[in-house]
Amino acid sequence: MHGNVAIDGPAGAGKSTVARLLAQKLGYLYIDTGAMYRALTWKALQLGIDLSDEEKLVSLAVVTTIKLENTAGGTIKVYCDGVDVTAAIRQEKVSNHVSIVARIPGVRRRLVELQRQMAASNRVVMDGRDIGTNVLPEAPYKFFLTASLEERARRRYQELIVSGREVDLETIKEEIRRRDARDSQREVDPLQPAPDAEIIDTTNMGVDEVVSKLVELIKARTKDPLQSSCLR
Ligand code: DC
């Protein structure tokens, strides 16, 4: 068996798609940690909680049940207190507020605890911002995916257009820029590559190309040839 895989990087670098496909290829569980911060943000917004009230948000994190389900079809479903919030957590309102919730130390402590529990009982590909640096510092395979701001905004724009939303490229670019700044400048576990992470610039790469590259790198790092032979 191989060890866990940590994938970090800024918004729109293609982490979730790549991580999901890689998990399928390896037969691992895919854990989208961003979805957990989003689910909590969704709940806080639903309840009308003031997002500057850190104490309330920490209490909310402690009493909220967040579950991630890998479906047989290869997609993931997100449940918040038993409610399917898979689509709701992708709403712009959630996207634009999630980094405010994610910078609260007590919220992070609680969600990181849940993430570590999931990784303790399964082989996982986990993606987020602090997986290689904080959640799974012992993971043998760490990747940091980046892409230019322009390209990341273009990808997000296309996703939203395909899902039938009317959006403006410049606005998306500005939102991603703001989120990047909040995620990398926060005091607790900011977005940054782990010292032992492989940094991959995906600006000019397709999804399949990135997945193949990660498989190649994992193979190269896997010392036991019997282990690497089960990776295709
Ligand atoms: O990957 P995403 O866009 O779904 O993440 C949503 C937000 O959650 C993002 O602004 C950063 C935050 N996040 C985090 O702080 N730590 C993680 N491990 C994952 C996400």
Side-chain angles (χ1 to χ4, degrees):
M1 285 293 268
H2 307 271
N4 291 329
V5 182
I7 301 184
D8 291 300
K15 294 184 305 288
S16 348
T17 314
V18 166
R20 188 170 48 77
L21 294 174
L22 181 67
Q24 270 181 339
K25 237 180 178 147
L26 301 176
Y28 284 16
L29 200 63
Y30 165 47
I31 312 274
D32 176 354
T33 63
M36 298 171 74
Y37 289 95
R38 284 173 180 271
L40 188 66
T41 305
W42 172 83
K43 184 172 173 186
L45 291 169
Q46 285 290 108
L47 295 175
I49 291 176
D50 172 4
L51 298 188
S52 63
D53 190 339
E54 298 200 0
E55 232 172 88
K56 223 177 207 163
L57 288 165
V58 175
S59 309
L60 191 72
V62 172
V63 300
T64 301
T65 310
I66 299 171
K67 286 221 165 81
L68 302 177
E69 182 191 311
N70 283 222
T71 69
T75 58
I76 74 147
K77 280 193 178 253
V78 185
Y79 296 92
C80 185
D81 296 330
V83 179
D84 183 346
V85 293
T86 312
I89 61 168
R90 303 292 157 192
Q91 288 164 2
E92 264 172 283
K93 194 168 178 207
V94 174
S95 300
N96 292 338
H97 291 93
V98 59
S99 55
I100 299 172
V101 174
R103 72 178 167 198
I104 301 170
V107 165
R108 300 198 69 80
R109 226 172 295 129
R110 171 72 185 140
L111 295 193
V112 167
E113 184 189 343
L114 296 176
Q115 291 154 14
R116 289 189 181 137
Q117 279 170 11
M118 293 185 215
S121 44
N122 300 282
R123 292 284 178 180
V124 300
V125 174
M126 192 178 281
D127 83 345
R129 302 294 190 288
D130 61 336
I131 311 305
T133 50
N134 175 53
V135 182
L136 304 175
E138 307 296 330
Y141 310 109
K142 296 183 186 175
F143 302 103
F144 191 87
L145 302 190
T146 63
S148 67
L149 176 64
E150 281 67 26
E151 175 61 15
R152 291 187 287 123
R154 198 190 59 78
R155 289 176 189 170
R156 210 21 76 89
Y157 174 79
Q158 281 189 332
E159 259 172 38
L160 292 170
I161 291 288
V162 166
S163 67
R165 306 265 273 284
E166 265 184 46
V167 282
D168 165 63
L169 183 59
E170 278 311 308
T171 310
I172 291 183
K173 202 157 138 186
E174 195 38 48
E175 282 165 6
I176 292 186
R177 195 201 308 272
R178 215 176 311 138
R179 195 133 69 91
D180 280 355
R182 277 204 214 115
D183 292 341
S184 20
Q185 288 161 16
R186 68 168 175 240
E187 279 174 25
V188 186
D189 302 325
L191 167 68
Q192 61 181 350
D196 51 345
E198 190 95 35
I199 298 177
I200 298 168
D201 185 341
T202 71
T203 305
N204 297 308
M205 293 171 85
V207 169
D208 290 341
E209 210 180 330
V210 180
V211 174
S212 305
K213 175 146 187 136
L214 298 197
V215 169
E216 228 172 76
L217 290 166
I218 290 173
K219 268 188 189 175
R221 280 199 192 185
T222 306
K223 291 187 193 94
D224 181 347
L226 275 178
Q227 287 187 348
S228 62
S229 70
C230 63
L231 289 167
R232 274 174 258 283

